[in-house]
Amino acid sequence: MTTQWDWRTGERLLSLNDPAEWDAAFERGERSLGTAAIGLAFNCSLEEASPRIVRAMQLPDVAQRGFAFTAAGTAARLNSALTPELYAALRAEGVGRRSTAVNAIDDTLTFVPFRRLPTWLKCWSVVSTVRNKLDAWRLSLAYAMTDAWKAVRRR
């Protein structure tokens, strides 16, 4: 039994396991290529899925591009590694809270051992850790000041 992929709705594309089918759909200009890239991340080797995920990251459809970044995060989770091309695509998208790649970068930092990360991502890991700690301290201080103000007002 052959599986019929529904490129219009995205149905069954998370089980896509044929890179050649993804390539043919890309050439036809199908929708849901980002969704299908997640399927490739789940069902194919990192080396097979990586070039297709990178191509999906460049799609004009913002939603499908977002799914491609989800596929990169999925690949990091499943393989504890990414290819140099995927690292380059994540870097090109940019880091930070407003980046489309933020969740994929977070997954990569969580599931890929620090020693295997490229230098730029190691640096971002340190920067984001320091930033998060400073935010936590700022919030703790703000809450303490609010509590103190409430206590003074009650007197």
Side-chain angles (χ1 to χ4, degrees):
M1 175 182 144
T2 60
T3 303
Q4 291 295 331
W5 317 109
D6 190 339
W7 292 98
R8 189 178 50 77
T9 65
E11 191 173 338
R12 293 185 295 278
L13 290 177
L14 291 179
S15 61
L16 183 67
N17 59 1
D18 184 4
E21 176 65 27
W22 193 95
D23 292 339
F26 182 81
E27 293 302 319
R28 292 190 307 267
E30 295 286 0
R31 299 174 51 169
S32 304
L33 288 165
T35 305
I38 297 171
L40 292 177
F42 276 125
N43 301 302
C44 296
S45 71
L46 181 60
E47 291 71 26
E48 289 177 311
S50 176
R52 286 129 185 122
I53 294 170
V54 170
R55 277 195 276 169
M57 288 175 173
Q58 300 161 1
L59 292 169
D61 182 336
V62 174
Q64 290 303 311
R65 216 171 38 242
F67 289 140
F69 285 100
T70 299
T74 300
R77 285 173 181 254
L78 295 174
N79 299 290
S80 297
L82 290 177
T83 62
E85 295 79 20
L86 280 170
Y87 283 125
L90 291 177
R91 186 175 190 182
E93 188 64 26
V95 295
R97 296 177 180 141
R98 294 195 171 135
S99 170
T100 307
V102 66
N103 292 328
I105 289 173
D106 287 347
D107 285 347
T108 302
L109 292 175
T110 301
F111 295 100
V112 176
F114 188 81
R115 68 185 177 282
R116 294 174 66 186
L117 294 172
T119 304
W120 71 269
L121 201 48
K122 287 178 182 177
C123 291
W124 175 248
S125 174
V126 172
V127 166
S128 66
T129 300
V130 169
R131 179 186 284 172
N132 290 343
K133 183 54 81 176
L134 290 173
D135 283 347
W137 288 343
R138 180 186 56 81
L139 286 172
S140 293
L141 180 61
Y143 292 145
M145 289 174 60
T146 301
D147 291 345
W149 179 250
K150 286 179 183 177
V152 167
R153 287 182 50 204
R154 274 186 247 149
R155 289 187 170 199

